Amino acid sequence: MSGPLGDGSALRRSIAALRQNRDQLVVDAAVLLSWIVVSAALFRWLTLPQWLHYLVLFGGVVVYSKLTSGWDQVD
């Protein structure tokens, strides 16, 4: 298979990495989606500035990424 990904090994490695990290991917997506929804509702309810909401969103994502383990590497 030739094309933009070469012989297909990069595509196979990517698919293997997604399969290996499937559970962590689902947890990460659920946590981040919950963070977005809860913070948006809270900021709207408290009528706080939009720029502060963006700062809190970004800070929450950074903190979450520092607190959780990284995805497993596929060799």
Side-chain angles (χ1 to χ4, degrees):
M1 171 172 142
S2 65
L5 294 175
D7 64 355
S9 62
L11 179 59
R12 280 194 286 278
R13 282 195 312 270
S14 297
I15 291 171
L18 287 173
R19 283 187 180 141
Q20 185 172 344
N21 295 297
R22 181 182 313 149
D23 293 341
Q24 187 63 40
L25 240 166
V26 170
V27 169
D28 290 347
V31 168
L32 293 176
L33 183 61
S34 298
W35 175 247
I36 291 167
V37 169
V38 168
S39 67
L42 186 64
F43 271 76
R44 188 172 291 238
W45 181 61
L46 296 174
T47 61
L48 295 171
Q50 191 71 29
W51 64 268
L52 183 59
H53 181 223
Y54 292 143
L55 187 64
V56 168
L57 276 175
F58 179 74
V61 170
V62 169
V63 167
Y64 179 75
S65 68
K66 293 294 180 183
L67 292 177
T68 59
S69 62
W71 295 344
D72 295 332
Q73 296 290 326
V74 176
D75 294 327

